């Protein structure tokens, strides 16, 4: 641009005049810079030198993040599969895995949002040490906080930041994605910790959908009222399937169950025939069925009751009761509850329909599961009872009674497992392996005390069966190795561990599989799937 005298004028004032907020005549060099002897600089934009660029708009940030994800994906995939250490000044180094799927947002955005979180939201859940967390953000990537936590903090802060509000949802999705990836690391079927997380979601959904009370007339929940009996029955079965999974998964780990049975008013499932035909059939609540010796229960309802009793029996073995006076067992809260559970187990055995009794129905998976769960529960409570009275002679009758009931249940389990036509298929259910393990422990303890040849025979048969299955079943492999160690420690078979030595490599190759069947011989308790970290060499 030129003025009236033909002098070329610059588009904007020079940087020096703009910095001093003085009028510039916009020639090169300008009048003021010439007088002061300064270097006169111009730019084609209004941006001043040395100043940070203006914050890019949110959509531009999202576009950059997406572009970076695509560009860095091959590199990050390599990073996830390559581990190692950086060795000082040596000529070679390997990438340390950080678990990231994309490049993090610009550091200025991270700093700003993290500052917002700790200044405005931290007090709602003050879990992290702010100084320690902020310091860790500037460490190497593999030493920073978990990426799911970083994105969770960024997402929460973005929700209260007008400048970054549109990033809240993308950051939330990323946080969820990384959390789910962490849950799935090394995932295999026996990962009961991960299974418990999935069950937790199911339980909460069942509450939201009103499955706790399918019989409610108004439906007052997320689901509209059922159109007919068949639709209500489907909802009942969904509720009880969640219930059984919750009860069995919590029993294996020693954790408390999630479904509050006091709030479940849904009727037990009807028979398969009625369900297939859509023919309405009357039923009972769980509480009614537990106290009714004349109850006519469907196979699925029997499975619900078996899962419930299995859970409360195992919970009982780990509970410390008030007024637990072993000098007067008849007045002990433990023994009162013990007797009540024993009666409930006996009652359920009585009301089982003929089609659910074993050994006559060994081809029916429902029948096998129900009977094994009940017999295993019986062993668990009576082993603990036996351990509690193992001492004074005036408790001899209770000690003997507990021993007899445990041995009776173990023999019933032995008869079922020996009669299975396809044990490999049934042992895919981990509770079958647990039942075999518990029965074998009873026979081992019985033989150690009495040298009964029948107990030794049954123990060896069960162990051989489990060893044969263990090659293809990691849960069974872990349990039979625990059994072998128990037999060696108690002097039953000094060569027992050598028989299962070939399984050690299988379990070691699977870093996830933990020792199953954690047996506390002194207390009589057994946790099927103890939740404990693997020791790293």
């Amino acid at each position: 641009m030129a003025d009236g005298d033909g002098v070329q004028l610059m588009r904007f004032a020079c940087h020096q005049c703009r910095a001093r907020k003085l009028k510039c005549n916009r020639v090169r060099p300008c009048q003021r810079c010439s007088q002061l002897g300064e270097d006169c600089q111009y730019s084609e934009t209004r941006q001043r030198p040395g100043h940070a660029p203006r914050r890019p708009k949110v959509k531009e940030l999202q576009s950059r993040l997406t572009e970076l994800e695509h560009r860095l994906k091959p590199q990050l995939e390599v990073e996830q599969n390559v581990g190692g250490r950086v060795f000082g000044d040596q000529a070679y180094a390997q990438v340390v895995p950080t678990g990231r799927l994309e490049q993090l947002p610009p550091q200025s955005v991270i700093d700003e949002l993290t500052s917002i979180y700790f200044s405005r939201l931290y007090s709602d859940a003050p879990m992290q040490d702010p100084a320690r967390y902020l310091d860790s953000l500037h460490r190497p990537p593999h030493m920073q906080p978990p990426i799911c936590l970083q994105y969770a903090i960024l997402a929460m802060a973005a929700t209260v930041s007008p400048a970054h509000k549109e990033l809240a949802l993308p950051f939330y999705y990323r946080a969820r994605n990384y959390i789910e990836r962490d849950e799935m690391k090394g995932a295999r079927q026996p990962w009961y910790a991960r299974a418990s997380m999935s069950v937790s979601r199911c339980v909460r959904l069942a509450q939201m959908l009103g499955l706790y009370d399918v019989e409610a007339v108004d439906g007052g929940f997320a689901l509209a009222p059922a159109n007919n009996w068949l639709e209500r029955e489907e909802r009942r079965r969904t509720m009880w399937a969640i219930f059984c999974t919750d009860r069995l998964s919590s029993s294996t780990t020693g954790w408390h169950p999630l479904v509050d049975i006091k709030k479940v008013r849904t009727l037990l499932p009807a028979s398969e025939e009625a369900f297939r035909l859509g023919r309405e059939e009357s039923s009972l609540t769980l509480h009614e069925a537990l106290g009714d010796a004349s109850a006519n229960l469907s196979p699925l309802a029997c499975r619900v009751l078996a899962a419930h009793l299995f859970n409360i029996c195992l919970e009982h073995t780990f509970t410390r009761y008030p007024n637990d006076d072993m000098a007067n067992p008849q007045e002990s809260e433990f023994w009162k509850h013990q007797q009540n559970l024993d009666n409930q187990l006996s009652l359920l055995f009585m009301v089982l329909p003929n089609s659910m009794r074993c050994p006559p129905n060994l081809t029916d998976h429902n029948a096998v599961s129900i009977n094994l769960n009940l017999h295993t529960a019986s062993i668990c409570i009576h082993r603990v009872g036996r351990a509690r009275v193992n001492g004074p002679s005036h408790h001899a009758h209770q000690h003997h009674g507990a021993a007899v009931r445990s041995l009776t249940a173990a023999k019933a389990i032995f008869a079922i497992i020996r009669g299975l036509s396809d044990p490999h298929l049934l042992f895919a259910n981990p509770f079958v392996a647990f039942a075999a393990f518990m029965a074998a422990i009873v026979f081992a303890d019985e033989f150690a005390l009495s040298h009964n040849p029948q107990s030794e025979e049954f123990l060896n048969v069960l162990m051989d069966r489990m060893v044969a299955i263990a090659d293809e079943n990691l849960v069974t492999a872990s349990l039979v190795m625990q059994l072998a160690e128990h037999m060696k420690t108690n002097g039953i078979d000094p060569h027992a561990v050598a028989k299962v030595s070939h399984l050690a490599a299988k379990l070691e190759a699977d870093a996830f599989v933990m020792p199953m069947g954690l047996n506390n011989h002194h207390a009589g308790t057994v946790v099927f799937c103890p939740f404990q970290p693997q020791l790293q060499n």
Side-chain angles (χ1 to χ4, degrees):
M1 182 176 67
D3 63 5
D5 298 326
V7 178
Q8 183 72 27
L9 298 180
M10 305 304 295
R11 185 177 180 186
F12 303 110
C14 73
H15 297 313
Q16 287 74 7
C17 291
R18 290 170 61 192
R20 294 185 176 89
K21 297 184 178 180
L22 299 174
K23 185 175 181 181
C24 178
N25 64 355
R26 292 189 293 160
V27 298
R28 189 190 295 272
C30 75
Q31 183 179 2
R32 292 185 185 277
C33 288
S34 297
Q35 293 173 349
L36 296 173
E38 293 182 347
D39 183 20
C40 187
Q41 297 181 3
Y42 289 91
S43 68
E44 293 300 319
T45 67
R46 292 188 181 275
Q47 182 176 338
R48 300 177 185 179
H51 285 245
R54 291 167 54 183
R55 180 184 301 136
K57 295 186 179 299
V58 172
K59 290 185 178 180
E60 182 183 348
L61 277 175
Q62 289 177 312
S63 176
R64 290 183 187 176
L65 289 172
T66 304
E67 180 183 351
L68 282 170
E69 286 178 16
H70 290 296
R71 196 166 64 228
L72 294 174
K73 186 176 180 181
Q75 173 187 340
L76 293 168
E77 286 178 349
V78 171
E79 179 184 338
Q80 293 166 32
N81 295 309
V82 178
R85 302 175 181 174
V86 178
F87 295 93
D89 297 327
Q90 296 188 26
Y92 60 91
Q94 291 180 312
V95 178
V96 178
T98 63
R100 294 178 180 174
L101 296 178
E102 72 284 309
Q103 184 76 310
L104 283 169
Q107 190 63 44
S108 59
V109 176
I110 294 176
D111 292 341
E112 182 177 353
L113 289 176
T114 304
S115 176
I116 291 173
Y117 171 80
F118 281 108
S119 63
R120 299 175 61 182
L121 301 173
Y122 170 73
S123 59
D124 293 339
M127 297 179 291
Q128 306 93 1
D129 175 9
R132 181 167 171 264
Y133 181 87
L134 291 170
D135 178 67
S136 67
L137 292 179
H138 299 282
R139 294 180 178 179
H142 66 286
M143 298 175 66
Q144 292 181 6
I147 195 69
C148 60
L149 175 60
Q150 293 188 52
Y151 271 124
I153 286 176
L154 296 178
M156 287 188 286
T159 61
V160 296
S161 170
H164 299 297
K165 205 172 190 66
E166 291 185 30
L167 288 176
L169 197 56
F171 286 163
Y172 166 77
Y173 287 144
R174 290 184 181 182
R176 285 292 303 269
N177 181 40
Y178 281 111
I179 290 172
E180 291 170 2
R181 282 175 56 81
D182 288 344
E183 287 182 20
M184 295 293 292
K185 282 181 180 176
R188 288 185 182 273
Q189 288 183 345
W191 195 351
Y192 292 99
R194 180 172 59 86
S196 183
M197 297 294 289
S198 300
V199 173
S200 301
R201 295 188 181 97
C202 290
V203 170
R204 183 61 74 188
L205 281 171
Q207 292 174 329
M208 294 176 179
L209 297 175
L211 299 182
Y212 273 46
D213 189 8
V214 171
E215 320 312 322
V217 176
D218 57 1
F221 294 93
L223 290 176
N227 293 320
N228 49 51
W229 176 85
L230 183 59
E231 192 171 316
R232 286 196 300 276
E233 178 66 10
E234 285 182 335
R235 297 180 183 184
R236 293 185 189 116
R237 287 170 174 247
T238 302
M239 176 65 230
W240 291 117
I242 295 171
F243 174 86
C244 287
T245 307
D246 170 51
R247 284 311 193 258
L248 294 176
S249 62
S250 59
S251 300
T252 63
T253 56
W255 299 332
H256 296 300
L258 302 172
V259 176
D260 185 354
I261 194 61
K262 296 177 182 178
K263 296 182 179 179
V264 178
R265 293 179 289 274
T266 297
L267 297 178
L268 290 170
S271 67
E272 286 300 313
E273 181 182 7
F275 184 54
R276 287 196 302 269
L277 297 175
R279 184 184 64 210
E280 185 168 353
E281 184 176 87
S282 60
S283 185
L284 303 170
T285 65
L286 177 63
H287 298 288
E288 292 170 340
L290 287 172
D292 188 352
S294 62
N296 183 18
L297 301 175
S298 69
L300 187 52
C302 291
R303 193 159 189 167
V304 171
L305 265 67
H308 173 66
L309 290 179
F310 182 82
N311 176 262
I312 60 176
C313 284
L314 266 69
E315 268 202 331
H316 166 69
T317 64
F318 293 99
T319 302
R320 294 184 177 182
Y321 292 90
N323 189 28
D324 200 2
D325 183 10
M326 292 310 301
N328 188 10
Q330 300 302 326
E331 299 301 319
S332 166
E333 289 297 320
F334 170 84
W335 283 103
K336 288 179 181 178
H337 196 46
Q338 175 98 346
Q339 187 61 47
N340 180 53
L341 290 175
D342 192 33
N343 291 339
Q344 289 191 52
L345 288 170
S346 300
L347 177 62
L348 185 51
F349 275 120
M350 289 173 55
V351 301
L352 283 178
N354 291 333
S355 60
M356 289 292 104
R357 297 184 180 276
C358 285
N361 297 286
L362 293 180
T363 58
D364 190 305
H365 291 192
N366 258 339
V368 170
S369 296
I370 290 169
N371 283 266
L372 290 181
N373 281 349
L374 295 177
H375 288 305
T376 304
S378 181
I379 289 176
C380 288
I381 63 172
H382 290 299
R383 284 189 81 240
V384 172
R386 191 176 179 182
R388 289 207 173 200
V389 296
N390 192 15
S393 58
H394 57 274
H395 296 152
H397 65 288
Q398 287 169 311
H399 187 280
H400 176 71
V404 169
R405 298 299 294 273
S406 296
L407 189 58
T408 301
K411 289 180 178 178
I413 292 173
F414 174 79
I416 293 173
I417 291 178
R418 183 177 60 177
L420 294 177
S421 58
D422 189 355
H424 287 269
L425 177 62
L426 268 297
F427 269 76
N429 179 348
F431 293 99
V432 175
F434 184 50
F437 172 77
M438 291 303 300
I441 289 289
V442 171
F443 292 135
D445 293 344
E446 167 67 15
F447 177 73
L449 290 174
S450 65
H451 295 285
N452 184 333
Q454 185 185 62
S455 293
E456 182 182 27
E457 176 191 352
F458 288 177
L459 170 61
N460 289 330
V461 170
L462 283 176
M463 184 170 183
D464 291 344
R465 177 63 61 91
M466 292 177 74
V467 169
I469 292 171
D471 284 326
E472 302 175 3
N473 188 307
L474 289 173
V475 172
T476 304
S478 181
L479 288 170
V480 77
M481 289 186 68
Q482 298 288 309
L483 174 61
E485 187 64 37
H486 181 79
M487 293 168 66
K488 178 183 177 181
T489 303
N490 289 275
I492 299 170
D493 183 356
H495 305 293
V497 174
K499 296 178 181 178
V500 297
S501 59
H502 66 287
L503 299 173
K506 287 181 176 291
L507 295 180
E508 188 174 344
D510 192 305
F512 157 72
V513 176
M514 56 190 70
M516 302 284 180
L518 189 61
N519 183 17
N520 186 330
H521 187 70
H522 176 73
T525 58
V526 176
V527 180
F528 176 25
C529 181
F531 184 66
Q532 57 188 18
Q534 292 289 288
L535 297 177
Q536 300 295 328
N537 294 327

